[in-house]
Amino acid sequence: MKFYYTLLLFLAVSWCTQAQHTLSGTVQSAANTPLDGAHIHVAQWHGTSLPDGYYEIHNITKGTQRVVISYIGYKTLDTIINFNRDVTLNAILQPNTTQLEEVVLVDTTVSQHTARKQRLSAEIIEQYSNATLGDALKEIAGVYTLKTGTTIVKPVINGLHSSRVPVISNNVRLEDQQWGMEHAPNLDINSAGSISVIKGANALQYGGDAIGGLVLIEPKKVRTDTLIGKTIVTGNSNGRGGGVTTSLHKGNTKGWVWNVNGTLKYMGDRETPDYILSNTGNREANAAGSIQYLGDTYDLGASYSFYNATIGIATATHIGNNVDLVRAINNGTPSVIKPFTYTINAPKQEVQHHLAKLEYNQTLQNNASLNAEYAFQLNRRKEFDLRRGNLKATPALDLTLITHSAQANWKQQKNNTTLKAGLSTLLQSNEASPDTGIRPLIPNYNKIDAGAYAIASHRFTNSFSAEAGIRYDFSYVDASKFYQKTRWNSLGYNGVFDNFITADFGTQWLTAPEFTYHNVSASLGVRKQLSSVLDIMGNAGLAMRNPNPSELFSDGLHHANGTIELGNLGLEKERALKLSATVLKRGDVFTFEATPYLNSINNFIYLQPTAAEVTIRGSFPVYSYRQTNALLAGIDATTQWKPTQRIQHTLNFAYVYGENTTDGVPVIDMPPLNITNTLRYTVPQWHSLFLELRSEAVFSQTRYPDYNFFVAVPQDGELISTLADVSTPPEGYHLFHFGSGVQFNLGKMQTAVNLSVHNIFNTSYRDYLNRQRLYTDEAGRNIQLQVKFNY
Amino acid sequence: MKNVKLSILALIALTGLNSCNNDDDATIVNPEEVITTLTATFEPVAGGETVVLTSRDLDGDGPEAPIISVLGNFTTGASYSGTVSFLNETETPAENVSEEILTEGDEHQIFFQQDDLGTFTYTDADVNQRPIGLTFSFVASTTPQTGLLTITLRHEPNKAAAGVADGDITNAGGESEAMATFEVSVVAP
């Protein structure tokens, strides 16, 4: 109770105080190296920069304040700033030459980080407040999205997705049944303080299986004694709904620190330029909170988050068999178009995700620290289909996934060397409810993981550093699953996997498949500073990923897609060797970054249309999990050009070439070439006005494998063999987006209003990596109005 | 030391909580919604040979193809009163799905696709006075024919769309729940 009173009191106080502003930016050396731990003082307020040089200081009162930024070995920056809005100050500190002459200082010119971490700005995270994590990540070059409709969005990094791209939220790996293509990460983007992407298998601390890359989500950290809050209200024209998110942070240098935030979203049917996408509304109600005690040499924290979403699946994508599929493809427009509604009927998904975590950090002697944490996750997923009679309200798929994980990490910094090591364990169980009346696509299973890693990074000279790491993972999976005997035989399991059979139930076998994996992953990275503004980084990573339960066990009709999906008990683990390099040129006017990469994946697992199977419902396309050797090569590039203080141009370019080297055909579902140009015009004097025009050009994917098949369609008393073109990618498209915003003080609050238009010209298009592209267009123009209050 | 204690605690919690789930064998599911058997029965109005068309797929969505059987031939110019029935034979006793289709008649329609075999006319109606197709009449062609007859059960078709009420499947949309093609003959008596 006392806590709530304190909370109310804090709220009241924060509303009564004067207008408050935030100073943020980065601290770098003249050689463009981020300075970790620089002190920033603004009158009585102060802060410290993070390892990437970033800092934020909140609650600065309006008016002229003296700002001092200092770092040992560098000349102190001392300036006066008039705070009548939030201010960004990117400081470049000059080396203090006299000091360098007197003492032989270790010149921290080159960072020990050999892997490039790309971060989304707070502005981007806020802009996508009412959208999804996947949508926001698309702002980073080389990140594409794999979608099922408009709301189920997952990131594709360098052509890879799903369990190849783990999402790590607050140091916990999200275990949320995200293995299938139509399962998006269950995470509220508004609970994130920062979101970053690591491309490549360089993050051994988090696992050895990040063949595609890693998405890191960290909570907001406020390191000063302050209480700040934020509320964002968003309204969207497309979907005729919006969202509200609100958060409150109590920061401190010592003692208690806490965060709370909550989000509500309510959206109706989306619209394409020509028709309503019936049953594409969604709802979300999310909440998260954390509390932490910061002691002198230790801190202790607990956090909890809850994600709760209901997502409609476009009715038009729900088909019965191959004839319906051909009809949908050839018609061009969906078979079901109903008037706009907020109602969400079947087919739909209902997902709930609980994540609770306990964490303990201890600072030891000799610059060492120890971290231990335990996390519990509960994920419930219900998928509802169009069903008959009294089964209408019964989900077609009902899964409960429980995950316990624990890890301990040790870190020591000593002169030019940083050592990290750790252990992790995971226990997981999935239960597929038999009450659905449908044989579950994913069976009951238990999984045990254990892993250990060690990473060393060392700065050899002022301009050269290297990092090497190794990790071992053990994994054991045992499942309990019924196989129809006919299916068991047709998959060729008879005589091969007989040892898995435990009981005979007439037409079905009860089986208990068991798998054990031992994986070794490793990474090696180097970073060389070629000049004061030019860095190159090189990385080599070996990653191993075990086939996930959907790849092993999927069996049966996937009602939502009208396809029969078949797993394969004989799948081997994937082994990927990824080589990448990053060229990074930083400057005040022009910044350039390019990352070419080569990813050779042995036993690459993919889902391929392989045959048609006839049942009494008609024939169905059969999608089987296959394995091949694949080579992915590509380049991501970003440039930023600031010819004047007011104008900024950003270019994002991404291309990936995927080849199935075993069959000599392209790899299915590779993102097409995409280029984004953004032109931004800023007038700081006029309420920090910004105007932005963005062009998003997505080319047609010309490299695709032909997995088309023919379907016998009855017509005039004959069966006509008709092509089911499931392979040909849609045309390329070019969209224009507009963004604008101003900031001003509303009473005691600092307020920002942003207006943006997505797809200005209401272009109709379909995207190759949208699972629903065979059935419907993408959503059309969306006008978004967003009001943000900072207090 | 604290960390060690904490990790041990966490591990105990882990094993303790998880152990209750360790022997959860899967429960057998007999799909309730599956249609395994479609039977179309044509009873000649003036008496004579009954024609029975059956598609039977006992493994449901499994890999085995349905077994199609055609019993009897149509007689040129003859009138038949027909019924279509659907069963789920994975259950014992078999579930009669036709009753459910009749109850939800406004969400279902059966279509007969053929050419020159004869004329189909719906003889039943849903709450909106639109046909379902569980009962119908058929008048066979006056000249001998051999051809394909495709019977399709659609779930949630657009029954108001052009031609649908007359049995034209083109604009029906919806989702096929059962579909079978039979090779039938109309022969002179």
Side-chain angles (χ1 to χ4, degrees):
Chain A
M1 218 44 220
K2 203 173 160 192
F3 173 75
Y4 289 108
Y5 283 124
T6 323
L7 187 81
L8 275 172
L9 185 73
F10 274 129
L11 268 171
V13 170
S14 68
W15 280 76
C16 305
T17 47
Q18 276 188 296
Q20 291 165 338
H21 300 289
T22 299
L23 176 70
S24 63
T26 54
V27 185
Q28 293 185 337
S29 71
N32 276 312
T33 312
L35 294 179
D36 178 6
H39 290 278
I40 302 103
H41 290 263
V42 186
Q44 70 265 42
W45 302 276
H46 58 86
T48 312
S49 64
L50 298 174
D52 60 355
Y54 185 76
Y55 71 91
E56 268 183 10
I57 298 171
H58 302 279
N59 289 5
I60 302 164
T61 45
K62 192 183 168 92
T64 307
Q65 310 285 1
R66 184 175 171 210
V67 177
V68 179
I69 300 181
S70 57
Y71 192 80
I72 294 169
Y74 290 83
K75 284 178 182 164
T76 298
L77 185 147
D78 195 340
T79 185
I80 301 287
I81 291 178
N82 186 6
F83 286 90
N84 51 16
R85 70 181 75 85
D86 285 358
V87 174
T88 306
L89 177 64
N90 293 326
I92 294 168
L93 301 188
Q94 301 297 330
N96 196 338
T97 43
T98 37
Q99 228 172 344
L100 278 172
E101 278 164 15
E102 282 170 14
V103 191
V104 185
L105 274 181
V106 181
D107 193 355
T108 55
T109 43
V110 63
S111 165
Q112 281 185 2
H113 295 284
T114 58
R116 179 83 174 121
K117 196 159 138 185
Q118 284 158 302
R119 179 143 71 170
L120 287 180
S121 69
E123 185 194 315
I124 303 277
I125 298 175
E126 287 171 0
Q127 185 190 332
Y128 287 94
S129 165
N130 203 37
T132 68
L133 174 70
D135 292 311
L137 285 170
K138 212 181 167 184
E139 297 263 347
I140 293 175
V143 182
Y144 205 77
T145 53
L146 176 74
K147 297 200 274 184
T148 302
T150 39
T151 320
I152 301 172
V153 186
K154 63 202 304 178
V156 180
I157 298 178
N158 292 160
L160 299 170
H161 55 79
S162 301
S163 55
R164 297 185 184 99
V165 179
V167 177
I168 313 290
S169 174
N170 194 5
N171 219 28
V172 178
R173 185 188 179 119
L174 279 186
E175 297 288 341
D176 51 3
Q177 296 165 340
Q178 62 192 359
W179 42 69
M181 282 194 180
E182 71 288 7
H183 303 172
N186 296 324
L187 183 104
D188 177 14
I189 186 171
N190 296 298
S191 64
S194 86
I195 300 175
S196 40
V197 166
I198 302 175
K199 295 171 192 164
N202 308 88
L204 295 175
Q205 184 178 345
Y206 305 104
D209 58 351
I211 284 175
L214 201 76
V215 177
L216 277 181
I217 291 150
E218 282 152 299
K220 196 176 176 86
K221 282 191 181 122
V222 186
R223 293 271 163 76
T224 49
D225 186 3
T226 178
L227 181 77
I228 54 167
K230 180 170 78 175
T231 298
I232 302 175
V233 182
T234 309
N236 287 281
S237 68
N238 201 333
R240 305 183 204 177
V244 183
T245 180
T246 185
S247 60
L248 206 58
H249 310 276
K250 171 73 179 92
N252 217 337
T253 45
K254 244 180 217 181
W256 293 102
V257 171
W258 49 262
N259 289 312
V260 282
N261 73 288
T263 302
L264 290 171
K265 293 181 190 177
Y266 194 94
M267 301 292 290
D269 288 342
R270 306 307 206 279
E271 288 164 52
T272 74
D274 303 307
Y275 46 82
I276 304 254
L277 286 166
S278 289
N279 205 45
T280 54
N282 65 299
R283 313 273 138 87
E284 264 181 50
N286 312 320
S290 72
I291 185 154
Q292 204 178 13
Y293 183 79
L294 306 175
D296 283 328
T297 58
Y298 69 96
D299 62 79
L300 183 67
S303 62
Y304 168 75
S305 73
F306 177 54
Y307 170 90
N308 184 16
T310 302
I311 301 165
I313 309 288
T315 319
T317 63
H318 203 270
I319 56 158
N321 62 25
N322 268 333
V323 174
D324 298 351
L325 175 69
V326 168
R327 162 173 54 94
I329 295 173
N330 294 348
N331 270 4
T333 52
S335 58
V336 184
I337 299 173
K338 290 180 185 158
F340 173 87
T341 173
Y342 288 101
T343 311
I344 301 174
N345 292 315
K348 65 177 175 181
Q349 298 184 353
E350 283 180 9
V351 190
Q352 296 178 329
H353 191 92
H354 300 263
L355 195 165
K357 184 185 131 169
L358 283 171
E359 185 182 13
Y360 181 78
N361 295 298
Q362 172 81 50
T363 310
L364 307 169
Q365 287 172 333
N366 305 326
N367 268 338
S369 62
L370 203 58
N371 150 283
E373 63 176 57
Y374 161 75
F376 170 79
Q377 293 180 70
L378 170 63
N379 189 284
R380 278 192 60 89
R381 161 174 289 267
K382 290 183 181 178
E383 295 188 4
F384 294 83
D385 269 318
L386 298 173
R387 305 185 74 174
R388 277 193 317 270
N390 50 11
L391 291 169
K392 271 191 175 149
T394 310
L397 187 71
D398 185 348
L399 303 175
T400 303
L401 182 75
I402 294 173
T403 311
H404 303 272
S405 58
Q407 54 173 298
N409 300 293
W410 169 84
K411 185 180 172 180
Q412 181 165 35
Q413 257 171 317
K414 202 175 177 185
N415 300 329
N416 287 326
T417 308
T418 305
L419 297 172
K420 281 198 259 184
L423 297 166
S424 64
T425 63
L426 174 143
L427 292 176
Q428 187 171 69
S429 84
N430 182 60
E431 197 194 322
S433 168
D435 302 333
T436 56
I438 290 177
R439 275 189 292 270
L441 203 61
I442 306 286
N444 289 1
Y445 73 85
N446 293 310
K447 191 173 150 204
I448 300 169
D449 284 350
Y453 72 91
I455 304 167
S457 46
H458 183 73
R459 188 182 292 113
F460 289 93
T461 69
N462 286 350
S463 66
F464 181 73
S465 62
E467 181 178 278
I470 190 156
R471 183 179 171 108
Y472 164 77
D473 281 288
F474 164 82
S475 189
Y476 169 80
V477 181
D478 75 301
S480 174
K481 176 174 165 60
F482 281 94
Y483 277 94
Q484 280 177 284
K485 286 182 179 174
T486 52
R487 178 67 73 201
W488 184 261
N489 295 339
S490 78
L491 287 171
Y493 291 168
N494 192 14
V496 181
F497 296 111
D498 288 352
N499 53 324
F500 290 157
I501 297 174
T502 55
D504 185 340
F505 280 76
T507 58
Q508 299 187 41
W509 293 120
L510 175 60
T511 65
E514 268 181 74
F515 298 95
T516 306
Y517 302 95
H518 298 274
N519 294 348
V520 175
S521 43
S523 76
L524 183 68
V526 289
R527 185 173 183 140
K528 171 83 183 158
Q529 194 163 39
L530 294 177
S531 79
S532 60
V533 293
L534 193 64
D535 274 24
I536 55 166
M537 286 166 255
N539 281 284
L542 173 72
M544 291 188 193
R545 185 182 73 91
N546 304 326
N548 64 32
S550 89
E551 293 161 341
L552 290 169
F553 306 121
S554 278
D555 162 27
L557 186 57
H558 201 306
H559 286 254
N561 303 329
T563 55
I564 290 174
E565 263 178 42
L566 298 178
N568 184 348
L569 292 177
L571 291 178
E572 303 279 331
K573 63 189 171 199
E574 283 183 350
R575 239 188 348 262
L577 180 66
K578 187 171 182 178
L579 303 173
S580 69
T582 300
V583 181
L584 189 62
K585 185 211 168 285
R586 279 184 271 199
D588 292 335
V589 176
F590 188 72
T591 299
F592 171 80
E593 179 177 343
T595 306
Y597 58 88
L598 199 65
N599 199 353
S600 168
I601 309 174
N602 202 354
N603 291 331
F604 178 74
I605 300 169
Y606 65 105
L607 191 58
Q608 181 192 327
T610 46
E613 199 167 280
V614 183
T615 79
I616 199 165
R617 287 164 66 114
S619 65
F620 286 94
V622 177
Y623 280 68
S624 309
Y625 282 100
R626 291 278 180 99
Q627 226 161 10
T628 184
N629 291 334
L631 183 73
L632 308 188
I635 184 163
D636 305 333
T638 302
T639 66
Q640 223 173 65
W641 181 46
K642 216 171 171 180
T644 75
Q645 274 306 307
R646 292 189 168 190
I647 296 171
Q648 180 178 304
H649 172 263
T650 311
L651 168 80
N652 275 357
F653 172 98
Y655 175 73
V656 54
Y657 170 96
E659 180 79 0
N660 174 336
T661 50
T662 309
D663 303 336
V665 292
V667 177
I668 194 169
D669 290 337
M670 282 291 127
L673 168 69
N674 57 91
I675 301 171
T676 309
N677 277 285
T678 311
L679 199 61
R680 190 181 173 105
Y681 182 74
T682 326
V683 193
Q685 295 80 0
W686 207 86
H687 294 290
S688 305
L689 170 76
F690 78 88
L691 300 166
E692 190 178 280
L693 190 65
R694 195 148 67 94
S695 124
E696 183 185 352
V698 176
F699 291 70
S700 181
Q701 177 58 279
T702 52
R703 301 196 75 257
Y704 61 92
D706 183 350
Y707 296 137
N708 289 338
F709 49 90
F710 284 86
V711 176
V713 176
Q715 207 177 346
D716 300 331
E718 283 181 75
L719 290 175
I720 313 279
S721 187
T722 313
L723 179 74
D725 185 0
V726 294
S727 299
T728 312
E731 298 278 294
Y733 57 88
H734 192 180
L735 306 179
F736 288 90
H737 315 300
F738 169 78
S740 64
V742 286
Q743 289 180 13
F744 53 89
N745 291 322
L746 189 75
K748 309 226 181 303
M749 269 181 300
Q750 191 239 308
T751 308
V753 178
N754 295 314
L755 177 75
S756 59
V757 184
H758 184 87
N759 191 358
I760 300 171
F761 299 111
N762 210 12
T763 307
S764 329
Y765 67 102
R766 295 187 182 202
D767 191 274
Y768 181 45
L769 291 196
N770 191 330
R771 296 268 282 171
Q772 300 186 346
R773 71 171 165 88
L774 298 175
Y775 313 101
T776 65
D777 286 347
E778 296 280 334
R781 183 192 296 130
N782 178 36
I783 302 169
Q784 173 172 293
L785 184 67
Q786 198 171 63
V787 185
K788 185 181 117 186
F789 305 98
N790 276 317
Y791 36 85
Chain B
M1 206 46 221
K2 271 179 182 169
N3 304 293
V4 177
K5 271 185 198 161
L6 203 75
S7 339
I8 291 170
L9 266 174
L11 275 171
I12 291 168
L14 290 182
T15 35
L17 283 163
N18 209 63
S19 52
C20 16
N21 290 322
N22 268 343
D23 359 85
D24 47 357
D25 270 359
T27 312
I28 196 158
V29 173
N30 285 310
E32 296 165 45
E33 215 177 3
V34 167
I35 295 171
T36 59
T37 313
L38 177 159
T39 311
T41 312
F42 297 75
E43 201 76 61
V45 176
E49 189 190 21
T50 301
V51 180
V52 183
L53 313 178
T54 314
S55 168
R56 199 151 176 256
D57 187 3
L58 289 182
D59 72 345
D61 297 334
E64 303 222 314
I67 296 161
I68 307 277
S69 70
V70 176
L71 198 74
N73 292 322
F74 295 108
T75 310
T76 46
S79 294
Y80 294 84
S81 84
T83 55
V84 187
S85 72
F86 301 93
L87 295 178
N88 175 6
E89 293 189 83
T90 61
E91 296 192 358
T92 338
E95 186 198 1
N96 184 350
V97 185
S98 312
E99 286 166 13
E100 214 169 74
I101 293 168
L102 184 66
T103 319
E104 292 176 357
D106 57 330
E107 291 177 9
H108 290 95
Q109 188 167 342
I110 296 152
F111 295 90
F112 305 91
Q113 286 170 275
Q114 47 92 26
D115 196 33
D116 294 336
L117 291 173
T119 316
F120 283 88
T121 314
Y122 292 108
T123 56
D124 56 2
D126 64 18
V127 288
N128 304 317
Q129 300 311 309
R130 294 194 178 110
I132 304 169
L134 287 168
T135 65
F136 59 91
S137 70
F138 174 65
V139 179
S141 152
T142 50
T143 51
Q145 300 283 344
T146 303
L148 297 179
L149 169 64
T150 301
I151 302 176
T152 307
L153 168 68
R154 282 275 167 92
H155 188 202
E156 304 215 334
N158 181 1
K159 296 182 84 167
V164 174
D166 301 323
D168 182 358
I169 199 168
T170 316
N171 299 318
E175 174 196 358
S176 300
E177 282 195 311
M179 186 172 127
T181 299
F182 304 94
E183 196 175 335
V184 297
S185 302
V186 182
V187 295

